[in-house]
Amino acid sequence: MPAPIEFYFDFSSPYGYLAAQRIDDLGAAHGREVDWRPFLLGVVFKTTGSEPLLDIPLKGDYARRDLARSARRFGIPFVLPEVFPFPSVPACRAAYWLKAHDPAAAPALMAALYRRAFGEGEDIRTAEAVAEVAAGLGHDRDEILAAMQDPQIKELLKDEVAAAIDKGIFGSPYIVVDSEPFWGFDRLPDIALWLELGGW
Amino acid sequence: MPAPIEFYFDFSSPYGYLAAQRIDDLGAAHGREVDWRPFLLGVVFKTTGSEPLLDIPLKGDYARRDLARSARRFGIPFVLPEVFPFPSVPACRAAYWLKAHDPAAAPALMAALYRRAFGEGEDIRTAEAVAEVAAGLGHDRDEILAAMQDPQIKELLKDEVAAAIDKGIFGSPYIVVDSEPFWGFDRLPDIALWLELGGW
Protein backbone atom coordinates (compact mmCIF):
# COMPACT_ATOMS: atom_id res chain seq x y z
CA MET A 1 0.00 0.00 0.00
CA PRO A 2 1.59 3.31 -1.01
CA ALA A 3 1.86 6.11 1.57
CA PRO A 4 -1.19 8.34 2.01
CA ILE A 5 -1.26 11.85 0.54
CA GLU A 6 -0.67 14.29 3.43
CA PHE A 7 -3.21 17.09 3.15
CA TYR A 8 -2.32 20.04 5.41
CA PHE A 9 -4.83 22.88 5.69
CA ASP A 10 -6.23 25.55 7.97
CA PHE A 11 -10.02 25.52 8.45
CA SER A 12 -9.92 29.29 7.85
CA SER A 13 -8.20 28.94 4.45
CA PRO A 14 -10.53 29.33 1.45
CA TYR A 15 -8.04 27.76 -0.98
CA GLY A 16 -7.76 24.88 1.50
CA TYR A 17 -11.54 24.51 1.27
CA LEU A 18 -11.38 24.34 -2.53
CA ALA A 19 -8.65 21.68 -2.33
CA ALA A 20 -10.71 19.73 0.23
CA GLN A 21 -13.52 19.39 -2.35
CA ARG A 22 -11.20 17.55 -4.75
CA ILE A 23 -8.37 15.89 -2.82
CA ASP A 24 -10.15 12.61 -2.00
CA ASP A 25 -11.11 12.06 -5.67
CA LEU A 26 -7.53 12.84 -6.68
CA GLY A 27 -6.22 10.29 -4.20
CA ALA A 28 -8.78 7.66 -5.21
CA ALA A 29 -7.86 8.07 -8.89
CA HIS A 30 -4.30 7.09 -7.99
CA GLY A 31 -5.03 4.46 -5.34
CA ARG A 32 -4.01 6.68 -2.43
CA GLU A 33 -5.58 7.39 0.91
CA VAL A 34 -5.64 11.04 2.02
CA ASP A 35 -4.51 11.98 5.54
CA TRP A 36 -6.36 15.20 6.46
CA ARG A 37 -4.12 17.22 8.82
CA PRO A 38 -5.54 20.59 9.89
CA PHE A 39 -3.10 23.09 11.42
CA LEU A 40 -3.06 26.73 12.53
CA LEU A 41 -1.78 29.07 9.86
CA GLY A 42 -1.74 32.01 12.31
CA VAL A 43 0.99 30.28 14.34
CA VAL A 44 2.98 29.61 11.16
CA PHE A 45 2.64 33.27 10.09
CA LYS A 46 4.55 34.25 13.25
CA THR A 47 7.50 32.33 11.77
CA THR A 48 7.20 33.60 8.21
CA GLY A 49 6.05 37.16 8.94
CA SER A 50 3.10 36.68 6.59
CA GLU A 51 -0.30 38.30 6.90
CA PRO A 52 -3.76 36.89 6.17
CA LEU A 53 -4.06 36.79 2.37
CA LEU A 54 -7.16 38.94 1.98
CA ASP A 55 -5.66 41.70 4.16
CA ILE A 56 -2.69 42.26 1.83
CA PRO A 57 -3.05 45.36 -0.38
CA LEU A 58 -3.71 44.56 -4.07
CA LYS A 59 -3.17 40.80 -3.52
CA GLY A 60 -6.27 40.61 -1.29
CA ASP A 61 -8.51 42.07 -4.01
CA TYR A 62 -7.07 39.66 -6.55
CA ALA A 63 -7.59 36.70 -4.21
CA ARG A 64 -11.29 37.54 -3.70
CA ARG A 65 -11.78 37.54 -7.47
CA ASP A 66 -9.66 34.45 -8.00
CA LEU A 67 -11.43 32.45 -5.27
CA ALA A 68 -14.84 33.07 -6.82
CA ARG A 69 -13.46 32.30 -10.30
CA SER A 70 -11.70 29.10 -9.17
CA ALA A 71 -14.86 27.88 -7.42
CA ARG A 72 -16.94 28.63 -10.55
CA ARG A 73 -14.50 26.77 -12.74
CA PHE A 74 -14.96 23.55 -10.76
CA GLY A 75 -18.61 24.05 -9.83
CA ILE A 76 -17.81 24.30 -6.12
CA PRO A 77 -20.27 26.29 -3.94
CA PHE A 78 -18.29 29.14 -2.39
CA VAL A 79 -19.05 32.05 -0.11
CA LEU A 80 -16.67 34.01 2.09
CA PRO A 81 -17.91 34.00 5.72
CA GLU A 82 -18.74 37.43 7.14
CA VAL A 83 -16.06 37.13 9.82
CA PHE A 84 -12.88 36.27 7.96
CA PRO A 85 -10.26 35.08 8.70
CA PHE A 86 -11.67 33.32 11.75
CA PRO A 87 -10.07 31.37 14.60
CA SER A 88 -10.04 27.65 13.81
CA VAL A 89 -8.71 26.25 17.10
CA PRO A 90 -12.00 24.57 18.14
CA ALA A 91 -12.43 22.95 14.71
CA CYS A 92 -8.83 21.70 14.82
CA ARG A 93 -9.22 20.24 18.30
CA ALA A 94 -12.43 18.43 17.36
CA ALA A 95 -10.74 17.05 14.24
CA TYR A 96 -7.72 15.70 16.14
CA TRP A 97 -9.90 14.24 18.86
CA LEU A 98 -11.92 12.33 16.27
CA LYS A 99 -8.75 11.30 14.41
CA ALA A 100 -7.53 9.78 17.70
CA HIS A 101 -10.84 8.06 18.58
CA ASP A 102 -12.49 7.16 15.27
CA PRO A 103 -10.02 7.94 12.49
CA ALA A 104 -12.28 6.61 9.72
CA ALA A 105 -14.97 9.14 10.66
CA ALA A 106 -12.65 12.17 10.92
CA PRO A 107 -12.41 13.26 7.26
CA ALA A 108 -16.22 13.48 7.00
CA LEU A 109 -16.31 15.84 10.00
CA MET A 110 -13.53 18.01 8.58
CA ALA A 111 -15.26 18.16 5.20
CA ALA A 112 -18.55 19.10 6.86
CA LEU A 113 -16.88 21.87 8.90
CA TYR A 114 -15.31 23.28 5.72
CA ARG A 115 -18.65 23.16 3.88
CA ARG A 116 -20.39 24.94 6.73
CA ALA A 117 -17.82 27.75 6.61
CA PHE A 118 -17.16 28.26 2.90
CA GLY A 119 -20.01 26.42 1.22
CA GLU A 120 -22.69 28.09 3.40
CA GLY A 121 -20.79 31.05 4.92
CA GLU A 122 -21.79 30.01 8.43
CA ASP A 123 -19.78 30.47 11.60
CA ILE A 124 -17.54 27.62 12.78
CA ARG A 125 -15.47 29.75 15.16
CA THR A 126 -16.94 28.55 18.43
CA ALA A 127 -16.88 25.18 20.15
CA GLU A 128 -20.69 25.24 20.07
CA ALA A 129 -20.79 25.74 16.30
CA VAL A 130 -18.27 22.93 15.79
CA ALA A 131 -20.23 20.60 18.08
CA GLU A 132 -23.41 21.34 16.13
CA VAL A 133 -21.78 20.23 12.88
CA ALA A 134 -20.48 17.08 14.60
CA ALA A 135 -23.91 16.35 16.08
CA GLY A 136 -25.35 16.60 12.56
CA LEU A 137 -23.10 13.68 11.62
CA GLY A 138 -24.32 11.60 14.57
CA HIS A 139 -21.52 12.35 17.03
CA ASP A 140 -22.26 13.04 20.69
CA ARG A 141 -22.41 16.81 21.20
CA ASP A 142 -21.34 16.75 24.86
CA GLU A 143 -18.48 14.38 24.19
CA ILE A 144 -17.14 16.67 21.42
CA LEU A 145 -17.55 19.77 23.64
CA ALA A 146 -15.59 18.06 26.41
CA ALA A 147 -12.89 16.92 23.95
CA MET A 148 -12.28 20.52 22.82
CA GLN A 149 -11.45 21.40 26.44
CA ASP A 150 -9.34 18.29 27.08
CA PRO A 151 -5.73 19.28 27.97
CA GLN A 152 -4.43 16.21 26.12
CA ILE A 153 -6.20 17.29 22.92
CA LYS A 154 -4.92 20.86 23.35
CA GLU A 155 -1.40 19.47 23.68
CA LEU A 156 -1.88 17.16 20.68
CA LEU A 157 -2.84 20.13 18.48
CA LYS A 158 0.16 22.16 19.69
CA ASP A 159 2.43 19.26 18.79
CA GLU A 160 0.83 18.91 15.34
CA VAL A 161 1.33 22.62 14.59
CA ALA A 162 4.93 22.52 15.80
CA ALA A 163 5.56 19.45 13.63
CA ALA A 164 4.03 21.21 10.62
CA ILE A 165 6.37 24.19 11.06
CA ASP A 166 9.32 21.79 11.47
CA LYS A 167 8.34 20.26 8.13
CA GLY A 168 8.52 23.72 6.52
CA ILE A 169 4.78 24.08 5.98
CA PHE A 170 4.01 27.77 5.48
CA GLY A 171 0.67 27.90 3.66
CA SER A 172 -2.69 26.22 3.09
CA PRO A 173 -3.34 23.94 1.34
CA TYR A 174 0.05 22.22 1.52
CA ILE A 175 0.12 18.72 0.16
CA VAL A 176 2.92 16.18 0.51
CA VAL A 177 3.21 13.18 -1.82
CA ASP A 178 6.01 10.74 -0.98
CA SER A 179 8.02 13.56 0.69
CA GLU A 180 7.46 15.92 -2.28
CA PRO A 181 5.72 19.15 -1.16
CA PHE A 182 3.15 21.11 -3.19
CA TRP A 183 1.66 24.41 -2.06
CA GLY A 184 -1.63 25.77 -3.30
CA PHE A 185 -4.96 24.69 -4.76
CA ASP A 186 -3.64 25.46 -8.23
CA ARG A 187 -1.04 22.70 -7.89
CA LEU A 188 -3.52 19.82 -7.90
CA PRO A 189 -2.75 19.13 -11.60
CA ASP A 190 0.97 18.94 -10.72
CA ILE A 191 0.14 16.50 -7.93
CA ALA A 192 -1.91 14.34 -10.32
CA LEU A 193 1.04 14.24 -12.73
CA TRP A 194 3.49 13.47 -9.91
CA LEU A 195 1.30 10.57 -8.76
CA GLU A 196 1.01 9.30 -12.34
CA LEU A 197 4.71 9.50 -13.17
CA GLY A 198 6.17 8.94 -9.70
CA GLY A 199 8.02 12.24 -10.04
CA TRP A 200 10.02 13.88 -12.83
CA MET B 1 -8.14 41.42 -34.11
CA PRO B 2 -8.60 40.53 -30.43
CA ALA B 3 -6.68 42.47 -27.78
CA PRO B 4 -3.14 41.32 -27.01
CA ILE B 5 -2.37 39.34 -23.88
CA GLU B 6 -0.73 41.74 -21.40
CA PHE B 7 2.32 40.03 -19.91
CA TYR B 8 3.64 41.89 -16.85
CA PHE B 9 6.90 40.69 -15.33
CA ASP B 10 10.03 41.75 -13.47
CA PHE B 11 13.34 40.74 -15.08
CA SER B 12 14.44 39.58 -11.61
CA SER B 13 11.45 37.21 -11.24
CA PRO B 14 12.27 33.53 -11.86
CA TYR B 15 8.60 32.55 -12.26
CA GLY B 16 8.33 35.43 -14.74
CA TYR B 17 11.21 33.84 -16.66
CA LEU B 18 9.41 30.49 -16.77
CA ALA B 19 6.24 32.18 -18.04
CA ALA B 20 8.28 34.06 -20.66
CA GLN B 21 9.38 30.72 -22.15
CA ARG B 22 5.78 29.74 -22.86
CA ILE B 23 3.62 32.87 -23.18
CA ASP B 24 4.20 33.51 -26.90
CA ASP B 25 3.25 29.93 -27.82
CA LEU B 26 0.17 30.22 -25.62
CA GLY B 27 -0.83 33.44 -27.38
CA ALA B 28 -0.14 32.01 -30.84
CA ALA B 29 -2.28 28.94 -30.09
CA HIS B 30 -5.23 31.29 -29.49
CA GLY B 31 -4.49 33.89 -32.19
CA ARG B 32 -3.29 36.51 -29.72
CA GLU B 33 -0.30 38.83 -29.72
CA VAL B 34 1.57 39.16 -26.42
CA ASP B 35 2.47 42.61 -25.09
CA TRP B 36 5.61 42.17 -22.94
CA ARG B 37 5.51 44.80 -20.15
CA PRO B 38 8.40 44.64 -17.67
CA PHE B 39 7.97 46.51 -14.40
CA LEU B 40 9.77 46.88 -11.06
CA LEU B 41 8.46 44.51 -8.39
CA GLY B 42 10.57 46.25 -5.73
CA VAL B 43 8.52 49.44 -6.13
CA VAL B 44 5.29 47.43 -5.92
CA PHE B 45 6.50 45.68 -2.75
CA LYS B 46 6.62 49.10 -1.05
CA THR B 47 2.84 49.21 -1.57
CA THR B 48 2.08 45.64 -0.55
CA GLY B 49 4.68 45.23 2.20
CA SER B 50 5.95 42.06 0.52
CA GLU B 51 9.51 40.77 0.58
CA PRO B 52 11.50 39.04 -2.16
CA LEU B 53 10.13 35.50 -2.38
CA LEU B 54 13.33 33.58 -1.73
CA ASP B 55 14.06 35.64 1.41
CA ILE B 56 10.85 34.56 3.16
CA PRO B 57 11.40 31.85 5.82
CA LEU B 58 10.11 28.39 4.78
CA LYS B 59 8.46 29.77 1.61
CA GLY B 60 11.87 30.64 0.16
CA ASP B 61 13.15 27.07 0.53
CA TYR B 62 9.99 25.74 -1.06
CA ALA B 63 10.26 28.20 -3.96
CA ARG B 64 13.84 27.11 -4.75
CA ARG B 65 12.69 23.51 -4.97
CA ASP B 66 9.53 24.37 -6.88
CA LEU B 67 11.37 26.53 -9.43
CA ALA B 68 13.78 23.73 -10.31
CA ARG B 69 10.89 21.23 -10.42
CA SER B 70 8.69 23.49 -12.60
CA ALA B 71 11.58 24.11 -15.02
CA ARG B 72 12.27 20.34 -15.23
CA ARG B 73 8.62 19.60 -15.89
CA PHE B 74 8.62 21.79 -19.00
CA GLY B 75 12.23 21.18 -20.07
CA ILE B 76 13.21 24.81 -19.50
CA PRO B 77 16.91 25.49 -18.71
CA PHE B 78 17.01 27.14 -15.29
CA VAL B 79 19.67 28.39 -12.93
CA LEU B 80 19.38 30.95 -10.16
CA PRO B 81 21.92 33.78 -10.67
CA GLU B 82 24.50 34.13 -7.89
CA VAL B 83 23.28 37.62 -7.04
CA PHE B 84 19.56 37.32 -6.51
CA PRO B 85 17.26 39.19 -6.48
CA PHE B 86 19.03 41.72 -8.66
CA PRO B 87 18.17 45.28 -9.76
CA SER B 88 16.42 45.23 -13.12
CA VAL B 89 16.17 48.97 -13.83
CA PRO B 90 18.70 48.96 -16.73
CA ALA B 91 17.00 45.97 -18.40
CA CYS B 92 13.59 47.65 -18.03
CA ARG B 93 14.83 50.94 -19.50
CA ALA B 94 16.41 49.19 -22.50
CA ALA B 95 13.18 47.24 -23.05
CA TYR B 96 10.98 50.34 -23.01
CA TRP B 97 13.37 52.26 -25.26
CA LEU B 98 13.22 49.46 -27.83
CA LYS B 99 9.43 49.16 -27.44
CA ALA B 100 9.24 52.87 -28.31
CA HIS B 101 11.69 52.74 -31.25
CA ASP B 102 11.33 49.26 -32.76
CA PRO B 103 8.42 47.52 -31.05
CA ALA B 104 8.62 44.41 -33.20
CA ALA B 105 12.20 43.78 -32.02
CA ALA B 106 11.53 44.37 -28.31
CA PRO B 107 10.21 40.93 -27.22
CA ALA B 108 13.33 39.22 -28.60
CA LEU B 109 15.55 41.49 -26.49
CA MET B 110 13.48 40.88 -23.37
CA ALA B 111 13.53 37.11 -23.96
CA ALA B 112 17.31 37.21 -24.48
CA LEU B 113 17.83 39.20 -21.25
CA TYR B 114 15.74 36.67 -19.33
CA ARG B 115 17.65 33.74 -20.85
CA ARG B 116 20.98 35.36 -19.94
CA ALA B 117 19.86 35.74 -16.32
CA PHE B 118 17.94 32.52 -15.60
CA GLY B 119 18.92 30.24 -18.47
CA GLU B 120 22.66 30.91 -18.05
CA GLY B 121 22.83 32.48 -14.56
CA GLU B 122 24.76 35.47 -15.90
CA ASP B 123 24.61 39.03 -14.62
CA ILE B 124 22.15 41.46 -16.27
CA ARG B 125 22.27 44.02 -13.47
CA THR B 126 24.40 46.65 -15.16
CA ALA B 127 23.80 48.83 -18.20
CA GLU B 128 26.93 47.29 -19.75
CA ALA B 129 25.62 43.74 -19.34
CA VAL B 130 22.26 44.74 -20.85
CA ALA B 131 23.97 46.50 -23.77
CA GLU B 132 26.05 43.37 -24.44
CA VAL B 133 22.92 41.24 -24.77
CA ALA B 134 21.37 43.87 -27.09
CA ALA B 135 24.56 44.02 -29.18
CA GLY B 136 24.39 40.25 -29.56
CA LEU B 137 21.02 40.75 -31.27
CA GLY B 138 22.47 43.32 -33.66
CA HIS B 139 21.49 46.50 -31.81
CA ASP B 140 23.90 49.43 -31.48
CA ARG B 141 25.65 49.15 -28.11
CA ASP B 142 26.28 52.90 -27.70
CA GLU B 143 22.75 53.80 -28.67
CA ILE B 144 21.34 51.38 -26.04
CA LEU B 145 23.78 52.69 -23.39
CA ALA B 146 22.68 56.28 -24.12
CA ALA B 147 19.00 55.25 -24.03
CA MET B 148 19.37 53.81 -20.51
CA GLN B 149 20.53 57.27 -19.36
CA ASP B 150 17.88 59.20 -21.30
CA PRO B 151 15.65 61.20 -18.89
CA GLN B 152 12.65 60.55 -21.15
CA ILE B 153 13.16 56.78 -20.90
CA LYS B 154 13.62 57.02 -17.13
CA GLU B 155 10.34 58.92 -16.92
CA LEU B 156 8.61 56.42 -19.23
CA LEU B 157 9.60 53.54 -16.94
CA LYS B 158 8.40 55.42 -13.85
CA ASP B 159 5.04 55.98 -15.53
CA GLU B 160 4.79 52.31 -16.52
CA VAL B 161 5.46 51.15 -12.96
CA ALA B 162 2.95 53.63 -11.52
CA ALA B 163 0.37 52.46 -14.07
CA ALA B 164 1.03 48.82 -13.12
CA ILE B 165 0.40 49.59 -9.44
CA ASP B 166 -2.76 51.50 -10.38
CA LYS B 167 -3.94 48.36 -12.20
CA GLY B 168 -3.45 46.37 -8.98
CA ILE B 169 -0.46 44.39 -10.21
CA PHE B 170 1.35 42.97 -7.18
CA GLY B 171 3.40 40.05 -8.48
CA SER B 172 5.30 38.55 -11.40
CA PRO B 173 4.25 37.12 -13.76
CA TYR B 174 0.88 38.88 -13.89
CA ILE B 175 -1.07 38.29 -17.05
CA VAL B 176 -4.20 40.12 -18.20
CA VAL B 177 -6.55 38.64 -20.80
CA ASP B 178 -9.44 40.92 -21.85
CA SER B 179 -9.33 42.69 -18.42
CA GLU B 180 -9.20 39.35 -16.54
CA PRO B 181 -6.09 39.13 -14.32
CA PHE B 182 -4.09 35.97 -13.63
CA TRP B 183 -1.12 35.83 -11.24
CA GLY B 184 1.60 33.23 -11.38
CA PHE B 185 3.31 30.84 -13.77
CA ASP B 186 1.06 28.04 -12.52
CA ARG B 187 -1.99 29.83 -13.95
CA LEU B 188 -1.04 29.40 -17.60
CA PRO B 189 -3.47 26.45 -17.92
CA ASP B 190 -6.26 28.69 -16.53
CA ILE B 191 -5.32 31.35 -19.09
CA ALA B 192 -5.44 28.80 -21.92
CA LEU B 193 -8.92 27.73 -20.80
CA TRP B 194 -10.06 31.36 -20.45
CA LEU B 195 -8.87 32.09 -23.99
CA GLU B 196 -10.60 28.98 -25.29
CA LEU B 197 -13.94 29.56 -23.56
CA GLY B 198 -13.92 33.38 -23.44
CA GLY B 199 -14.32 33.18 -19.67
CA TRP B 200 -16.52 31.10 -17.37
Side-chain angles (χ1 to χ4, degrees):
Chain A
M1 187 70 186
I5 295 169
E6 297 165 51
F7 173 41
Y8 290 90
F9 62 94
D10 185 315
F11 280 109
S12 181
S13 158
Y15 286 111
Y17 161 77
L18 295 180
Q21 307 313 303
R22 301 178 61 83
I23 193 78
D24 284 331
D25 285 352
L26 178 62
H30 294 89
R32 299 281 187 127
E33 303 266 322
V34 177
D35 185 13
W36 290 50
R37 304 191 80 88
F39 72 106
L40 300 170
L41 205 48
V43 179
V44 175
F45 281 178
K46 285 179 193 160
T47 298
T48 58
S50 297
E51 280 180 281
L53 178 64
L54 299 192
D55 293 350
I56 300 172
L58 307 184
K59 203 183 227 177
D61 292 336
Y62 173 83
R64 282 171 206 276
R65 181 178 189 140
D66 183 59
L67 281 163
R69 176 175 68 191
S70 297
R72 273 202 318 276
R73 175 172 170 191
F74 295 103
I76 298 171
F78 179 75
V79 57
L80 208 58
E82 267 180 49
V83 179
F84 182 84
F86 53 83
S88 59
V89 172
C92 266
R93 287 185 187 155
Y96 278 106
W97 174 78
L98 200 56
K99 274 181 75 120
H101 288 78
D102 186 359
L109 173 62
M110 295 187 250
L113 286 165
Y114 246 157
R115 277 196 306 273
R116 177 67 61 97
F118 293 105
E120 300 162 17
E122 297 294 331
D123 183 17
I124 61 162
R125 283 176 290 169
T126 63
E128 289 68 27
V130 169
E132 191 188 315
V133 172
L137 295 174
H139 299 292
D140 186 288
R141 182 187 303 261
D142 291 338
E143 196 178 19
I144 288 270
L145 282 170
M148 285 184 273
Q149 291 306 320
D150 182 336
Q152 280 194 322
I153 295 298
K154 292 182 181 181
E155 206 55 42
L156 180 59
L157 175 58
K158 272 188 198 162
D159 291 347
E160 285 286 340
V161 174
I165 294 175
D166 280 349
K167 282 188 81 158
I169 293 166
F170 57 84
S172 167
Y174 191 100
I175 295 156
V176 182
V177 179
D178 301 334
S179 304
E180 189 70 20
F182 296 88
W183 169 50
F185 172 64
D186 42 17
R187 291 312 182 91
L188 294 192
D190 276 5
I191 294 169
L193 190 64
W194 194 270
L195 285 163
E196 190 186 320
L197 302 178
W200 60 74
Chain B
M1 186 70 186
I5 294 169
E6 297 164 51
F7 173 41
Y8 289 91
F9 63 94
D10 185 316
F11 279 109
S12 182
S13 157
Y15 285 111
Y17 161 76
L18 295 180
Q21 308 312 303
R22 303 177 60 82
I23 193 80
D24 283 332
D25 285 352
L26 178 62
H30 296 88
R32 299 282 187 126
E33 303 267 321
V34 177
D35 184 14
W36 290 50
R37 304 190 81 88
F39 72 105
L40 300 170
L41 205 48
V43 179
V44 175
F45 281 178
K46 286 179 191 160
T47 298
T48 58
S50 297
E51 279 182 280
L53 176 64
L54 299 192
D55 293 350
I56 301 172
L58 307 185
K59 203 184 227 177
D61 292 337
Y62 173 83
R64 282 171 206 276
R65 180 179 189 139
D66 182 60
L67 281 163
R69 177 175 68 191
S70 297
R72 274 201 318 275
R73 175 173 170 190
F74 296 104
I76 298 170
F78 178 76
V79 56
L80 208 59
E82 266 181 48
V83 180
F84 180 84
F86 53 82
S88 59
V89 172
C92 266
R93 287 185 187 156
Y96 278 106
W97 175 79
L98 200 56
K99 275 180 75 121
H101 288 79
D102 186 359
L109 173 62
M110 294 187 250
L113 286 165
Y114 246 157
R115 277 196 305 273
R116 178 67 61 98
F118 292 104
E120 300 161 17
E122 298 294 330
D123 182 18
I124 61 162
R125 282 176 291 169
T126 63
E128 289 68 27
V130 169
E132 191 189 314
V133 173
L137 295 173
H139 298 293
D140 186 288
R141 182 188 303 261
D142 291 340
E143 196 178 19
I144 288 269
L145 283 169
M148 285 184 272
Q149 292 306 320
D150 182 337
Q152 280 194 321
I153 295 299
K154 292 182 180 181
E155 205 55 42
L156 180 58
L157 176 57
K158 271 188 199 162
D159 291 347
E160 286 285 341
V161 174
I165 294 175
D166 280 349
K167 282 188 81 158
I169 292 167
F170 58 84
S172 166
Y174 191 100
I175 295 157
V176 182
V177 178
D178 302 333
S179 304
E180 189 71 21
F182 296 88
W183 169 50
F185 172 63
D186 41 16
R187 292 311 181 91
L188 294 192
D190 275 6
I191 294 169
L193 190 65
W194 194 269
L195 285 163
E196 191 186 320
L197 303 178
W200 60 75

